[in-house]
Amino acid sequence: MAEEALVLCISALNGTFTNDQASVLCNQFAEASSTSTGMTDLVVGLNTLYLTSCGALVFVMHAGFAMLCAGAIRSKNTMNILLQTVMDAAVSAIAFYILGYGFAYGLGDKPNGFIGDALFGMSRWYSKNNNDLVGEGWQNWFFQWAFAATATTIPAGAVAERLNFNAYLIYSFFISAFVYPVVVHWVWGWEGWLGMLRNPELTHLFRSGMIDFAGSGVVHMTGGLAGLAGCIMVGPRMGRFDSNGNPVEMPGHSATLVVLGTVLLWFGWYGFNPGSQLLITTRANASVVGRAAVTTTLSGAAGCLSCLLTAFFRHKAWDLVAGCNGALVGFVAVTAGANVLEPWAALICGLTGGWVFDFVCWVFLKLRIDDPLSAAPMHAFCGAWGVFFVGLLAKREYVCASYGKDCSEWVPYGLFYEGDGRLLASQVIGIICIFTWVFGLMSLLFAVLKFCKILRISAEEEQAGLDVSKHGGSAYNYDHGLGKPEKAQALGL
């Protein structure tokens, strides 16, 4: 049997490596797996490689956010939004290390369902993060930080072109150190009161708990609601609405960057959703990972077509930006249920998510809420839709496979599969609680910053553009050297 496995291994690798290289690799795998200790080490290594690679994919989404935001705003503010994206990564890393990870996952002397109480600055790391499947667990911090950085950078687009950079740094630290980690603890923490992953010895909400696989609520609602609070408190950009309250178009300066950002985010989502299974070394885990990749793809595709067609019926033109936004809407919506939805259900999720997005964008304009990238409609409201949708169409067998439940016993599943409504009720409670916590705290923070007169830049600075007024220059150099006297003379000009 061992010899047959070795032959199959060599045959599988021959397309990528030479026969000699494949033989060496397969012999190493065979030797490593020949003892129980060697097999455990191999499992730990593969799981660590998988989670670290997925974390890197999630971090690539920062490049996507940077390009998307830069392309969707005016060129005079490009450097500012790019710097904000870089600072989100840097500030969130420090904040998550010092406080955030402990509030999210720490189980100390007094564990509770509301907030973590250990692992601040990774203290007591080895006593809390060792087991046979994940080894020393360093990759867990890295993967979870990538998610925290994503939640932190979502609001950048909502407050673009008028927020004071100092205020942005304060917000960035606050959400990644406290606001976001508490939501994580509720839903994904072992003691969290809201989630399905809660310690089996404790009572689950409605005997079910909320399903939010990769964070439509935890990540996207949190980031989107923070952005909503910010764009309400900071007010609309100068000239965004005329004297009658009608919106004035302020198109972004580069459709090319918008498309590049969308594709980078699409690429990163394959770490975001499939990676949230955390482990890869069993057939059950591999099945969930594969299904998550399929449902993510289909929902994004359906969202893209949904928003593109809606925009065509409205404007009689094929709107590139609408298609890009629709794809992202589909990804946001399916993130909660990528592991428990059938492919056809993922199509419905993305399709209807596009309608939710367009409706909320219309409401925002009626209320004179200026969100340059439609970050709040996309992440907050479509994220909430994704959480709600799980309560309707989570498949029972997939819930069992994803969460290690015994399908011979009662498990929560979607209402449309004749579920008893407990899962749906848990999803609704989750939406309400995340909305109250995030929007309430972030509104308070932005109100304090506004009271201290550090929330918004001056009218003169906004008119000139943040790049010139705050960052010492422009993101684009149009000189081409012709403005320099010596070069002009050389060219006979």
Side-chain angles (χ1 to χ4, degrees):
M1 181 65 73
E3 291 182 0
E4 291 179 3
L6 186 60
V7 171
L8 288 173
C9 176
I10 294 172
S11 176
L13 293 180
N14 266 336
T16 306
F17 302 96
T18 66
N19 188 67
D20 290 341
Q21 291 171 331
S23 297
V24 170
L25 287 172
C26 291
N27 277 310
Q28 288 178 344
F29 279 120
E31 183 178 350
S33 60
S34 61
T35 65
S36 59
T37 302
M39 180 59 76
T40 298
D41 289 345
L42 184 61
V43 168
V44 169
L46 289 174
N47 285 331
T48 300
L49 175 63
Y50 176 69
L51 200 60
T52 305
S53 300
C54 287
L57 280 176
V58 175
F59 184 71
V60 166
M61 295 175 77
H62 253 61
F65 281 119
M67 295 301 98
L68 181 69
C69 291
I73 63 174
R74 292 168 292 181
S75 61
K76 65 180 180 179
N77 298 305
T78 303
M79 191 180 297
N80 174 262
I81 201 76
L82 294 177
L83 181 58
Q84 285 182 3
T85 307
V86 174
M87 287 299 99
D88 282 330
V91 172
S92 67
I94 303 301
F96 202 64
Y97 166 71
I98 296 173
L99 294 172
Y101 192 81
F103 285 144
Y105 292 104
L107 295 178
D109 298 328
K110 297 181 179 179
N112 63 87
F114 179 75
I115 192 169
D117 65 336
L119 297 176
F120 302 113
M122 292 189 176
S123 63
R124 298 165 63 183
W125 180 260
Y126 284 101
S127 64
K128 296 290 183 181
N129 278 273
N130 285 276
N131 66 57
D132 289 340
L133 291 178
V134 301
E136 295 178 355
W138 296 106
Q139 70 277 10
N140 293 334
W141 184 93
F142 171 69
F143 185 74
Q144 297 302 335
W145 160 72
F147 274 59
T150 300
T152 302
T153 205
I154 287 171
V159 296
E161 302 198 283
R162 73 272 200 204
L163 188 72
N164 188 306
F165 187 70
N166 296 334
Y168 191 85
L169 292 179
I170 294 171
Y171 139 79
S172 184
F173 187 92
F174 184 59
I175 191 172
S176 52
F178 181 63
V179 178
Y180 168 77
V182 170
V183 178
V184 171
H185 188 78
W186 291 355
V187 182
W188 292 338
W190 185 244
E191 299 284 329
W193 69 272
L194 184 54
M196 181 174 286
L197 297 173
R198 192 176 200 200
N199 185 344
E201 297 179 0
L202 301 175
T203 303
H204 289 69
L205 179 67
F206 301 126
R207 288 183 52 227
S208 167
M210 172 184 172
I211 292 179
D212 188 6
F213 179 55
S216 288
V218 175
V219 178
H220 293 284
M221 278 189 68
T222 297
L225 288 169
L228 175 61
C231 64
I232 290 175
M233 295 302 297
V234 76
R237 290 168 291 175
M238 294 172 55
R240 182 65 178 95
F241 299 96
D242 63 23
S243 58
N244 296 320
N246 298 316
V248 176
E249 290 295 326
M250 287 186 172
H253 80 280
S254 176
T256 303
L257 290 180
V258 170
V259 172
L260 177 60
T262 301
V263 174
L264 284 171
L265 287 169
W266 190 321
F267 178 67
W269 237 290
Y270 292 123
F272 205 92
N273 286 3
S276 291
Q277 186 61 18
L278 305 180
L279 304 173
I280 192 66
T281 49
T282 68
R283 179 170 296 192
N285 286 332
S287 177
V288 175
V289 168
R291 181 164 59 252
V294 171
T295 54
T296 299
T297 302
L298 293 176
S299 183
C304 175
L305 295 177
S306 174
C307 287
L308 185 67
L309 291 172
T310 301
F312 179 81
F313 288 130
R314 200 166 53 232
H315 304 301
K316 304 304 178 185
W318 299 107
D319 189 331
L320 170 65
V321 175
C324 290
N325 283 337
L328 299 178
V329 163
F331 297 139
V332 168
V334 81
T335 292
N339 61 330
V340 295
L341 297 177
E342 287 276 23
W344 60 264
L347 286 170
I348 297 174
C349 182
L351 179 73
T352 53
W355 299 339
V356 171
F357 173 74
D358 283 328
F359 174 74
V360 176
C361 286
W362 176 78
V363 171
F364 271 34
L365 292 179
K366 292 297 182 182
L367 297 176
R368 300 182 64 182
I369 298 174
D370 181 20
D371 183 344
L373 270 88
S374 300
M378 179 182 296
H379 296 278
F381 290 88
C382 293
W385 169 245
V387 173
F388 184 82
F389 192 85
V390 171
L392 301 177
L393 282 170
K395 190 173 181 179
R396 188 171 186 268
E397 291 83 354
Y398 293 165
V399 173
C400 295
S402 298
Y403 296 99
K405 303 288 185 180
D406 183 357
C407 263
S408 65
E409 301 178 356
W410 181 88
V411 294
Y413 57 98
L415 185 67
F416 288 173
Y417 282 109
E418 299 183 357
D420 60 8
R422 293 185 187 184
L423 177 59
L424 181 60
S426 297
Q427 303 298 103
V428 171
I429 294 296
I431 292 169
I432 293 171
C433 290
I434 292 172
F435 183 94
T436 304
W437 171 258
V438 177
F439 188 75
L441 280 180
M442 296 311 301
S443 294
L444 179 61
L445 174 66
F446 285 121
V448 170
L449 295 174
K450 187 173 184 178
F451 177 78
C452 296
K453 301 186 185 303
I454 60 171
L455 182 62
R456 182 166 180 152
I457 59 175
S458 67
E460 293 79 10
E461 291 171 329
E462 185 175 346
Q463 186 66 34
L466 282 160
D467 290 0
V468 172
S469 62
K470 291 294 186 180
H471 303 291
S474 172
Y476 301 99
N477 183 3
Y478 298 105
D479 183 6
H480 302 298
L482 296 179
K484 301 184 184 301
E486 61 275 13
K487 292 192 175 183
Q489 290 175 5
L491 293 171
L493 300 175

